[in-house]
């Protein structure tokens, strides 16, 4: 599994919205400037996040984007799966994938353990967790 630029930028976008979460809409241009990410690329990503119900949009002078829930209610896993799709380390673990060697595969259990570890980490890490970890790291510098 390799997280693409789209996945990394989606997390950065959601973290930015979480750090500025006060109920108001945040212009995408402001996020683009703070995160040094092209606003055109962010538009593609925020469209996916909006379609998936993770962010809400508003048009006009006071428009922009905001979270639809509290930052602590977003897991890294749900964000990554929305923009990346599956997070499986090998194709044979995909839902519905068939492999003629599964019964005799000596590595399938390893891949399942890897998938379990990935799921455990991303599904139990929230935006608030990442913000707190970063703040602690910056305080120790």
């Amino acid at each position: 599994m390799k997280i693409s630029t789209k996945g990394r930028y989606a997390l950065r976008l959601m973290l930015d919205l979480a750090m500025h979460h006060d109920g108001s809409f945040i212009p995408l241009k402001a996020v683009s400037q703070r995160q040094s990410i092209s606003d055109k690329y962010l538009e593609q990503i925020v469209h996916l996040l909006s379609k998936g119900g993770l962010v809400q949009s508003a048009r006009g002078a006071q428009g922009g984007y905001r979270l639809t829930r509290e930052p602590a209610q977003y897991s890294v896993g749900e964000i990554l799966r929305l923009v990346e799709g599956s997070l499986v380390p090998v194709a044979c673990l995909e839902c519905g994938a068939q492999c003629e060697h599964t019964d005799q595969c000596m590595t399938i259990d390893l891949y399942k353990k890897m998938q379990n570890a990935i799921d455990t980490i991303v599904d139990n890490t929230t935006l608030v967790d990442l913000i707190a970890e970063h703040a602690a790291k910056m305080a120790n510098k």
Side-chain angles (χ1 to χ4, degrees), residues 1 3 28 30 32 48 60 64 99-100 125 129 139:
M1 177 199 73
I3 298 172
L28 201 57
S32 171
L48 293 171
C99 175
E100 62 189 60
T125 303
D129 295 332

Side-chain angles (χ1 to χ4, degrees), residues 45-57:
I45 295 168
V46 81
H47 175 74
L48 293 171
L49 297 171
S50 180
K51 193 173 166 184
L54 301 187
V55 299
Q56 179 183 21
S57 65

Side-chain angles (χ1 to χ4, degrees), residues 4-17:
S4 71
T5 303
K6 187 185 293 185
R8 294 192 318 269
Y9 286 2
L11 275 177
R12 286 173 54 188
L13 169 61
M14 292 295 287
L15 284 164
D16 192 284
L17 293 177

Side-chain angles (χ1 to χ4, degrees), residues 75-113:
S75 76
V76 170
E78 78 174 310
I79 297 164
L80 289 178
R81 285 186 192 93
L82 182 64
V83 297
E84 295 281 353
S86 174
L87 300 178
V88 297
V90 291
C92 60
L93 292 180
E94 289 280 357
C95 232
Q98 296 295 319
C99 175
E100 62 189 60
H101 304 288
T102 301
D103 292 339
Q104 302 86 16
C105 183
M106 293 176 22
T107 56
I108 191 72
D109 291 331
L110 171 68
Y111 299 143
K112 288 177 180 179
K113 288 177 188 175

Side-chain angles (χ1 to χ4, degrees), residues 17 22-27 56-59 62-67:
L17 293 177
D22 63 3
S24 62
F25 288 92
I26 300 167
Q56 179 183 21
S57 65
R59 295 179 182 220
Q62 301 299 315
Y65 295 88
R66 68 180 178 193
L67 301 178

